[in-house]
Amino acid sequence: MACRPPGSTSSYTVVIIPLRTSLYSLDALRFYLWIKRLKDLEKEKDALCSGLEFLDKTRLWYLHRLKENRAQQDNIETKNICQEVVAETQSCLLRSRIQRVNGSLGSVMAEPNATSTSNPSLHDAVADSDLRWHNTILTQEVSDKNRQISMLELEKDALLEQLDELQAH
């Protein structure tokens, strides 16, 4: 399947070539392996074309997010504190997801034989990526807990002030 515009249909051609020798001959095996390799290359090409299409969509998404980010930077003064906390939380989560995607793409591009399972550096890269993702999630959870603690401390201070006012009257 060649790279085609979205929405177009794909088709494959099946070729049957009779062999003059036995099905178990060396020529039959070579022919089978040749056809199998062609099929595998076609599947790889399909996956690459699909990846290119996805990358085009991803590029447009990144550009849209950049425009939104610029708009948010221009309007930062008009937000109140609650909106800022929510926006910060969403921004942190989005940033961690983007970093994970960027890391995955980087490891795919850096590893020419990414499909080879005999390469230990691929396992290390995957483990490293998983650890980074886990660290990002834990960091996010700690940030959330810290925000909750800060909010509770503010509420405690407000309640203590109210108590002092009530005792003063």
Side-chain angles (χ1 to χ4, degrees):
M1 170 172 117
C3 293
R4 291 183 291 287
S8 62
T9 59
S10 62
S11 62
Y12 291 92
T13 304
V14 176
V15 178
I16 300 175
I17 302 175
L19 298 174
R20 295 187 179 166
T21 59
S22 165
L23 189 59
Y24 303 105
S25 71
L26 188 57
D27 288 336
L29 178 61
R30 271 193 228 128
F31 180 73
Y32 170 77
L33 294 174
W34 177 72
I35 293 291
K36 186 174 185 296
R37 179 68 180 138
L38 285 177
K39 179 182 162 191
D40 291 342
L41 287 171
E42 192 72 22
K43 286 181 179 180
E44 182 178 336
K45 185 170 88 174
D46 289 349
L48 290 169
C49 288
S50 176
L52 276 175
E53 184 179 322
F54 181 72
L55 285 175
D56 286 339
K57 290 178 183 178
T58 304
R59 182 181 171 279
L60 292 174
W61 182 86
Y62 271 88
L63 289 173
H64 179 71
R65 290 296 303 163
L66 280 171
K67 287 178 184 175
E68 285 181 4
N69 183 281
R70 285 187 196 116
Q72 288 175 356
Q73 286 177 352
D74 293 341
N75 298 327
I76 194 94
E77 302 88 29
T78 61
K79 289 185 176 180
N80 65 30
I81 189 139
C82 291
Q83 288 174 327
E84 287 181 21
V85 170
V86 170
E88 183 182 339
T89 302
Q90 291 173 343
S91 176
C92 184
L93 181 59
L94 179 63
R95 193 171 48 250
S96 68
R97 287 179 178 170
I98 289 172
Q99 288 170 347
R100 183 177 185 196
V101 168
N102 290 346
S104 297
L105 287 173
S107 67
V108 166
M109 290 184 290
E111 192 64 50
N113 296 324
T115 57
S116 172
T117 58
S118 63
N119 193 343
S121 66
L122 177 61
H123 297 296
D124 293 343
V126 169
D128 183 55
S129 174
D130 287 344
L131 285 174
R132 286 176 189 266
W133 176 246
H134 190 64
N135 185 38
T136 301
I137 295 298
L138 290 175
T139 302
Q140 178 64 33
E141 288 176 6
V142 167
S143 296
D144 291 342
K145 296 298 180 190
N146 284 338
R147 269 189 221 96
Q148 288 176 354
I149 290 170
S150 297
M151 298 293 270
L152 289 172
E153 286 177 351
L154 288 172
E155 286 179 28
K156 180 184 107 180
D157 291 342
L159 289 172
L160 287 174
E161 284 180 23
Q162 286 178 355
L163 181 62
D164 289 342
E165 289 174 10
L166 289 173
Q167 288 177 350
H169 289 259

